Amino acid sequence: MATMNISLPDQMKAWVEECVRSGRYANASDYVRDLIRNDHMKLEELRRALIEGENSGPSEGLDIDAFIADKKKSLSL
């Protein structure tokens, strides 16, 4: 496994250490690996959503007044 050194502001370092102390992560490296995995998964989800949007066909016009009325109705305003 490769090694990478990173610098963090004190507040971020304290956060990572707190996450480790909580028992959720074995060490700081485990925490960073989890962040990278989650970031990768979010990027893949975004790519899939963009492809799905492209494949859904041409967009239709937006009736902004109807959209606002619908939102107000759903929020009971």
Side-chain angles (χ1 to χ4, degrees):
M1 189 175 300
T3 300
M4 177 184 284
N5 295 315
I6 61 169
S7 297
L8 298 173
D10 290 338
Q11 186 177 12
M12 287 183 174
K13 182 179 181 286
W15 174 254
V16 172
E17 290 169 344
E18 177 59 32
C19 289
V20 172
R21 274 194 302 276
S22 75
R24 184 170 176 199
Y25 299 97
N27 52 48
S29 293
D30 189 32
Y31 177 77
V32 172
R33 284 190 295 268
D34 190 46
L35 289 176
I36 293 168
R37 275 190 298 272
N38 287 334
D39 188 52
H40 187 261
M41 288 172 42
K42 286 179 185 177
L43 182 58
E44 288 303 312
E45 289 173 14
L46 177 59
R47 284 183 179 141
R48 281 192 297 271
L50 289 170
I51 290 169
E52 181 181 335
E54 279 185 339
N55 293 336
S56 69
S59 63
E60 298 176 8
L62 174 64
D63 180 347
I64 192 67
D65 293 325
F67 177 80
I68 291 170
D70 185 51
K71 287 298 172 189
K72 285 182 177 179
K73 183 179 176 184
S74 69
L75 296 173
S76 299
L77 295 178

